[in-house]
Structures are given as structure tokens and as C-alpha cells.
Amino acid sequence: MSGITSHDQNFKNLILDYPRQALEFFAAAKGLDLGQGARITPIRQEQLKSRLGDRFHELDVPLLVEWPDGSREALLFMLEEETNPARFSIHRLAQYCLELSDMFKTNRVVPVAIFLRAAQKVPETLVLGGDSFTYLSFNYLKCDLANLDANQYLDSPNLVARLNLPNMAWPADRKVDIYAHATRGLFTLESDPEKQRKYLDFIDIYTALDDNQMHEYQARYPQENSKMVGLTERLLNEGLEKGMRQGMQKGRQEGEASLLARQLTRRFGSLDSATEQRLQQASSDDLERWADNILDARTLDEVFSKH
């Protein structure tokens, strides 16, 4: 990834692509078991911004979990990724949750803070009150990635956990092994080549193997490495084939438009710029229909008529 890495965007993509696995991993402190019948809906940012205004962070991810069979009441999860724990504000998170609660008319809101760096000193409880009474007590689920033991997740069936192995705690000399377990999880648990390529980048970013370590990986894990090479070749070939098909289609359309323009000019005289632009932007179906119309049309307008 070129330029500055957007960790917020990386994690937002991860959560939106794999919402069930994300909740079961990041909210594991709740002992979360969604069950197969749960329906998870990402809440659109546009809807939130119209209500919450500029204070809402676009890269926080609210997920609505519903159980259509009525076995449980809906839950609204608020996931916030925080790269730098020093920037985390429990007051801001509480404010977001209160606003979401008001907006969706529910008190079943579960806040989850995901820390990419070690976060031992962040406040975990907010209590507002006076000498005699507490008027607000707020807690959240904390996922401190840097303090999770990677050994516990090496063979996890949860893809989000496997992709985050590089962000967990592990001995420095295990870096290549961590990379191998993460990539093996990706190729085992995700069958879509496009997503495999997308999250291979995710693993690369957070493991950051140097050239020597990559050579070691290729030597020690030839099977996983061959899958990576095969994926790259497959996507490259698919891209070339797609480009060729698009180029051929575009060429055909340009030829059809040019032929029709010549026919129209011979029949009705010089074409104005608006008509020429219309021909250039037309689909193949439009060009075919207009070519049929020209046989009976008495005017240029009748050529472009739908009937």
C-alpha cells in the first residue's frame, strides 16, 4: 500500500466484509454466540451523519444484529478502531452510543473498542455522579490486539482472528511462522480470489516481512507460497482477459457508432455535436435499435425515437 496506511479504513473493510467473524472475535469478551439465524446489517454512514453531524467518525462501524425468529432482541454494536490508544476518548465513545441509542430507540447498544497498539492505560469505565448517587456508568468491550497471545489463534476457524495474527503478541523469531499461519488461514477460509488478494495485502501490511524473511517463508512454506504465486498469476490472467474483452467490446461499439454516423450524415446531412456525442456514449443495444429505425425514419428525431 502506497503512502500513509489508513488503519481505520483497513479495519472498516475487514468488519464490513466479515461482520459475523468480526463480532465474534472483537467482541469475544462478551462470550458472543450469534447463532446461525442472526442477521447482521451494517448501518449506513449517510444515515448516521444526517443525525449525528460532524462529531461522528465516519470510520467507526455500527452493526445491527437481529434474530428474525424472535429468539433474542436486536443488538446494536458500535465498533471503533483506535490505532493510537492516547487518542482514545471514553467520553466520545459514550456520546456516540447514547446518540445511536436515541436514534434507533433502543438501549441494547454494545460498544467495542479495538486497539491496534498496546492499550494498558486507557480508561475502561466512565462514571458520572455526585457525592451520593451515580447517574451514568459506562463500560465497553476492549479488544487489545497487541496483548492477545497469537498462539491461541494460530489455527482459529475465525478468518478475522487469523488475519490479525500479525497484530497480536508473539516472539520476534516467530514472525515468518505468524505470516504463514495468517496466509494459510486466508487461503483455507476464503475462497474468493479477489478477497484473497485484498487480505493478502492486509497480512503483508501488518507483518511487514523484509526480503530475507520473505525468502525464508518461500523456502519453509512452499505450499502456501505456491498458492500466493498461483493467485497472482490467476488474477493477472483474469485481468488481461477482462481487459481484452472490454477492448473488443469497445472497439465494436466504436465501429457501430462510426457506421451509423456515416449513414445518418448521408441521409440527413451534417450532424451536430450533441448527436455525435450521443452516438459515442450509446450502448450496443441503442446503436442497433437506431440502425433499424433509420430504414423508415423521415427525420433525425424519428431515428432516436423509442418506437
Side-chain angles (χ1 to χ4, degrees):
M1 178 178 292
S2 61
I4 298 175
T5 299
S6 174
H7 302 293
D8 285 345
Q9 191 64 55
N10 289 346
F11 277 83
K12 179 179 180 180
N13 285 329
L14 182 66
I15 293 166
L16 293 179
D17 279 338
Y18 307 106
R20 175 181 291 271
Q21 295 96 319
L23 286 177
E24 291 179 347
F25 174 61
F26 292 129
K30 190 178 185 297
L32 191 63
D33 181 11
L34 298 176
Q36 293 302 312
R39 181 175 63 208
I40 306 174
T41 307
I43 297 172
R44 295 183 59 182
Q45 299 287 353
E46 296 87 346
Q47 185 181 19
L48 287 166
K49 288 178 66 179
S50 66
R51 179 67 181 270
L52 302 183
D54 294 336
R55 293 169 295 176
F56 184 76
H57 277 196
E58 291 185 26
L59 294 174
D60 295 334
V61 187
L63 298 174
L64 179 64
V65 183
E66 300 171 289
W67 287 267
D69 62 2
S71 59
R72 296 167 66 179
E73 290 185 52
L75 280 172
L76 187 58
F77 284 82
M78 174 68 180
L79 290 88
E80 176 180 354
E81 189 277 329
E82 195 68 75
T83 302
N84 181 2
R87 295 174 50 200
F88 173 71
S89 168
I90 192 172
H91 293 80
R92 183 185 64 221
L93 183 59
Q95 179 182 351
Y96 292 166
C97 291
L98 288 171
E99 290 173 332
L100 283 171
S101 173
D102 179 44
M103 181 176 183
F104 290 93
K105 307 304 178 187
T106 179
N107 292 331
R108 290 175 60 80
V109 179
V110 181
V112 183
I114 305 161
F115 294 97
L116 183 59
R117 310 291 181 232
Q120 294 97 331
K121 297 182 180 180
V122 296
E124 299 185 30
T125 302
L126 173 64
V127 178
L128 301 181
D131 294 335
S132 303
F133 298 100
T134 295
Y135 299 101
L136 175 66
S137 180
F138 176 79
N139 303 85
Y140 61 92
L141 297 181
K142 177 184 176 186
C143 181
D144 190 355
L145 288 172
N147 284 312
L148 293 180
D149 182 0
N151 286 324
Q152 297 182 16
Y153 299 92
L154 292 179
D155 299 307
S156 171
N158 185 309
L159 179 55
V160 172
R162 293 289 283 274
L163 294 175
N164 275 286
L165 283 172
N167 295 320
M168 299 181 192
W170 36 267
D173 60 358
R174 293 289 311 281
K175 190 173 188 178
V176 172
D177 296 323
I178 292 296
Y179 184 84
H181 279 277
T183 55
R184 183 181 300 160
L186 174 60
F187 288 117
T188 302
L189 301 171
E190 176 56 78
S191 59
D192 182 348
E194 292 293 340
K195 286 188 177 179
Q196 287 179 348
R197 176 69 265 179
K198 180 178 180 179
Y199 287 101
L200 190 56
D201 287 343
F202 185 96
I203 297 170
D204 285 340
I205 289 168
Y206 293 108
T207 313
L209 298 184
D210 59 29
D211 289 344
N212 291 333
Q213 291 164 337
M214 181 55 73
H215 290 318
E216 180 184 348
Y217 167 75
Q218 293 167 350
R220 291 176 52 197
Y221 296 95
Q223 185 175 357
E224 283 76 10
N225 184 58
S226 67
K227 289 182 180 179
M228 290 172 56
V229 173
L231 173 64
T232 301
E233 291 178 348
R234 176 179 175 180
L235 292 177
L236 177 60
N237 291 335
E238 288 178 353
L240 290 173
E241 291 175 3
K242 182 178 180 181
M244 291 176 63
R245 288 195 302 269
Q246 290 176 339
M248 293 173 63
Q249 175 67 18
K250 184 179 180 182
R252 282 196 298 268
Q253 286 184 221
E254 290 176 350
E256 291 170 356
S258 178
L259 176 59
L260 184 56
R262 290 199 301 272
Q263 292 173 329
L264 291 174
T265 300
R266 291 183 62 182
R267 183 80 182 274
F268 302 108
S270 298
L271 305 179
D272 57 29
S273 58
T275 301
E276 291 178 348
Q277 184 175 8
R278 186 174 188 178
L279 292 173
Q280 293 171 1
Q281 296 176 348
S283 66
S284 292
D285 290 340
D286 286 335
L287 292 170
E288 183 177 347
R289 178 166 52 83
W290 296 338
D292 289 339
N293 288 351
I294 199 174
L295 299 175
D296 302 315
R298 292 168 296 181
T299 66
L300 189 60
D301 287 341
E302 288 184 6
V303 173
F304 298 113
S305 172
K306 292 183 179 180
H307 306 287

